[in-house]
Amino acid sequence: MHPLAWLAWVTLVMVVSLTATNPLYLVVVLLAVVLVGVLAPRTSTAVAGVRTLAMAGTALFLMSLAVAVLNGGYGEHVLFAMPGPDFPGWMGGLRLGGPVAAESLVAAGVRGLSISCVLLAFGVFNGAVSPYRVLRTAPAALFHAGLIVTVGLTLLPSSIEDIRRIREMQALRGGATGVRNLPGLVVPAVIGGLERSMKLAEAMEARGYASAARPPAPARLAALSSAPLLLPSGWAWFYYDSARWLAVAGAVAAAGALLWWATAAAKTSHVTRFRREPLTPIDRAAIGGSLALAAAAFALRSLGAAGLAYNPFAGLAWPEFEPAGALLALAVAWPAAHAVLLPGAARHGELPASAAPEGTNVVAEVHP
Amino acid sequence: MIATASGLSYTYPAGDAPALRDASFHLEAGSFTLLAGPSAGGKSTLLRALNGLVPQFHGGRYAGTVTVAGLDAARTPARQIALAAGMVFQEPEAQAVADTVEDEVAFGMEQHGIAPAEMHRRMDEVLARVGVEHLRRRRLSTLSGGERQRVAIAAVLVLQPSLLLLDEPTSQLDPDGAAAVLAAVESLHRDRGLTIAIAEHRLERLLPLAGGVLEVEAGRVTAMSPREAGSRLRAVPPVCDLARRLGLDPMPLSVPEAAGLLRGHGLSCEVAPDPAPAGPPILRAEGLRVVYGELAALDGVSLSLHAGEVVALVGPNGSGKTTLFRALVGLQKLESGRVCHFDDEAPAAVQQRTAFTGLVPQDPAVALYHDTLRAELADTLRRRGHRAGVSTTLARWGLDPLAGRNPRDLSVGQQQRVAIAAMLAHEPPVWLLDEPTRGADGEAKAWLAARLREHAARGGAAIVSTHDIESAARYATRVVGLREGRVAFDLPAREAFSAAGPVPTQVARLVPGAILPEEVVRR
């Protein structure tokens, strides 16, 4: 699957899980994402593993529940009361403790669920597509900025590994690994990270990397002027009905300036790409489909149709489960179908069968 | 003439002493030059001056001129210099930009805007030349150190430089990986006439290959022939050391050459017998078994260590050396087996166990975090509730001159020493050292050998994992070989290092009965 198709999928998951507040649909989305994660090829050096992100998702889910409990909450179905001080009114209605209602718990659970879906989707994306592949699809104007970010990401796993090793070494020196010894953990990790970045920057320079020739001055000026154009345009649009035409003109001018800069930047950048991944018709269809589904989710939500929105404070009724909404949530699983029906295409541009299988270096990769 | 330096002096921005002092030398086209000298002597700086990283990347005070392929190295932009002088660094991990072999090798070409068709042609050619063709679709993280370092060389060669600079490219590798990298470098020189300048501590392999040697010490550069280097350098391979003691002429550079010269010389050896270990074992491992997934990293390893013993632990990468250390201090969960201190089962907690069995893992310098060495040692002593004063500890480790220095400002070799002292400041009876001499120069190795012998003489014991047979012969009393998680051999040092043993030293192959140069006498 093409990196852009993956990006479209992540966008779809994000839009669906943030527009839908119906817990039933969210559970379907979560299962769909898990299914994709299981079936999708895991090929990149993942920055953070699916497991880490799944744990982070669970933690966030539990945290949002805990906050709801601590914070108390409004609602008719009061479950229990948490002891807590009364804050005076001038503190802006700060609440701690008090009655905890089922409604607020459900609302917190829904919030946690949708965040978990998004996090997990990013984990799957991250495991399936290496940052370098994403970079290669970036437009020329963004290539250099993207390169810095990508290279930065390649340092992350080694920094995590550093922290693990430093922790172990402080334990070997007889230290506790608690909060009191935090400097012993943080200082070496930060210094080590900086040293590693310096070494990498040096190696990149030695191989001829230098920030590319900059686009001509007028183009850069145009790009700079786009922001001061956009701000008053926005202002005019919202506050002066009579000056809306001016706002539109300003926005168009800003977009034009940015476009000019991007083309000039693309022309001055002499970077070539070793391999370009072509977008297959299936990839194109997948991207189009994902974006259409995301738009559909927006539309259904703003129309209040298909039971996408759920309000627990309206009497805590069982959420609706309509075919349209359920199908939308289920459609999130499309990369799984892709992986099953087109196993060859799913691995396009990745390690071919002739390459050594994953895990040849078992000893080196296991970090007990 | 491919590169010339004249009157080159350079000081790093944060440095108080010059890293290079009035260096003048030249490299002939098609030559193979070895840069030798102690670590922090200026070898790396010299290489960086040859491709403009010094002063362009590092800044600092610079005087003199360096010309590489007709370009002024101090002023030509990095993009152009990279096409003339390619540089391979010490750590393979610290120079990779991409995550697969092909992307990594393509990076430089992409930066120079080389057309895709040409890129593919060069890629095929270069990968085949350094022998990593079969790895082209692999991810870098699944490669061994030697493979990664060859990929790094390929990534530089695709830019078709006329000069290849290598900064201790094998110091982080095991012997097999190092041999593969050096073989690749050698064939580039021999078959393609590529000019090579390489900084290295492992002179055994390189002295016979080199056409010339630049000795770099305290920033001063002296050019000499390899044979002169064999008789003049401070740290030389044991063969050269032996030849010096015997006054051989010409200076031999390899074992076969020395064997030819020594024929007919009546030589014998004088050996002081090693004291036999006495008393009960102070550390005992019984049937240790560790399993990672399906793979048994340790498969029933039993080992006992007596007071006064220094064991050299040898074996290829992945044979279980590091796992054995981790198991001994309790960092690694055992599938079966047990560890005893004297007759008692060792405590479970790592902290208590390391009070008795101190472990120094690889690259211990990453754990240093105080401003001074003094504070670093005081920290370990405080954590261990140890009463010994910092001054006593400093003296014992021979580190008094560095007491007030910031560990981060020290050279890599000094940092390593400071870190070993910091990990073992509480003087545990048993020391475990995981590849402490990796990338170390002669002085650092001698320092470590001295500390190990003192420790053994005080009634302590140690296990040192190493690939460096020649320096192990200077401190080991016993050699244990691991292979695929099992003990392959466990022999007294003299037997193991002898010509018939599993890990013969250079001298042992030349003079029966001896293992070190100083043991050889004329009859």
Side-chain angles (χ1 to χ4, degrees), chain A residues 10-357:
Chain A
V10 172
T11 315
L12 173 64
V13 175
M14 244 166 63
V15 169
V16 171
S17 47
L18 294 178
T19 49
T21 49
N22 183 328
L24 297 180
Y25 297 160
L26 283 176
V27 168
V28 174
V29 170
L30 188 70
L31 291 176
V33 172
V34 169
L35 183 69
V36 173
V38 170
L39 291 177
R42 241 159 309 201
T43 43
S44 82
T45 30
V47 175
V50 174
R51 237 182 80 203
T52 322
L53 283 165
M55 265 154 62
T58 317
L60 271 175
F61 179 75
L62 294 176
M63 221 157 73
S64 76
L65 284 185
V67 167
V69 168
L70 278 179
N71 224 353
Y74 305 93
E76 306 204 331
H77 303 75
V78 174
L79 299 174
F80 56 90
M82 289 285 287
D86 280 334
F87 290 103
W90 54 264
M91 286 188 78
L94 186 63
R95 266 185 69 151
L96 200 59
V100 177
E103 286 91 338
S104 63
L105 274 187
V106 171
V110 167
R111 263 198 312 276
L113 201 57
S114 63
I115 292 174
S116 302
C117 285
V118 174
L119 265 183
L120 204 63
F122 267 102
V124 172
F125 169 71
N126 186 245
V129 189
S130 74
Y132 212 76
R133 273 180 74 202
V134 181
L135 172 69
R136 233 192 262 119
T137 60
L142 296 180
F143 185 83
H144 277 284
L147 182 66
I148 305 289
V149 175
T150 317
V151 169
L153 285 179
T154 62
L155 289 176
L156 211 77
S158 40
S159 300
I160 293 169
E161 167 66 12
D162 265 4
I163 292 182
R164 191 191 64 79
R165 276 179 52 210
I166 293 165
R167 250 182 82 103
E168 207 168 274
M169 282 191 210
Q170 303 299 10
L172 289 174
R173 270 174 87 176
T177 42
V179 180
R180 254 190 66 214
N181 265 316
L182 215 56
L185 187 64
V186 173
V187 174
V190 169
I191 293 178
L194 285 177
E195 277 175 357
R196 181 169 288 142
S197 321
M198 281 299 286
K199 278 183 189 161
L200 189 59
E202 192 186 16
M204 284 169 70
E205 177 138 340
R207 279 160 72 184
Y209 170 82
S211 45
R214 289 190 294 183
R220 280 183 315 194
L221 263 179
L224 280 177
S225 67
S226 63
L229 267 173
L230 273 176
L231 279 175
S233 306
W235 183 271
W237 177 268
F238 288 111
Y239 290 97
Y240 300 99
D241 282 348
S242 54
R244 283 205 166 167
W245 63 273
L246 205 69
V248 172
V252 168
L258 278 177
L259 196 69
W260 181 21
W261 168 77
T263 11
K267 254 184 221 151
T268 39
S269 156
H270 295 295
V271 171
T272 46
R273 317 282 167 86
F274 176 65
R275 202 179 328 127
R276 272 189 194 277
E277 288 181 54
L279 270 173
T280 61
I282 295 176
D283 287 326
R284 285 174 204 280
I287 292 171
S290 296
L291 297 182
L293 284 170
F298 261 126
L300 288 177
R301 174 67 200 257
S302 48
L303 290 174
L308 226 53
Y310 172 69
N311 181 7
F313 294 100
L316 215 56
W318 186 249
E320 294 170 78
F321 195 76
E322 288 184 20
L327 281 176
L328 182 65
L330 201 61
V332 163
W334 69 258
H338 190 282
V340 171
L341 297 176
L342 298 161
R347 293 191 167 268
H348 176 81
E350 295 293 344
L351 309 174
S354 63

Side-chain angles (χ1 to χ4, degrees), chain B residues 269-277 308 453 476-477 492-495 513 515 519:
Chain B
C269 61
E270 262 175 14
V271 176
D274 283 325
R453 284 194 301 262
T477 62
R494 193 147 289 284
E495 211 174 305
I515 58 173
E519 292 171 349

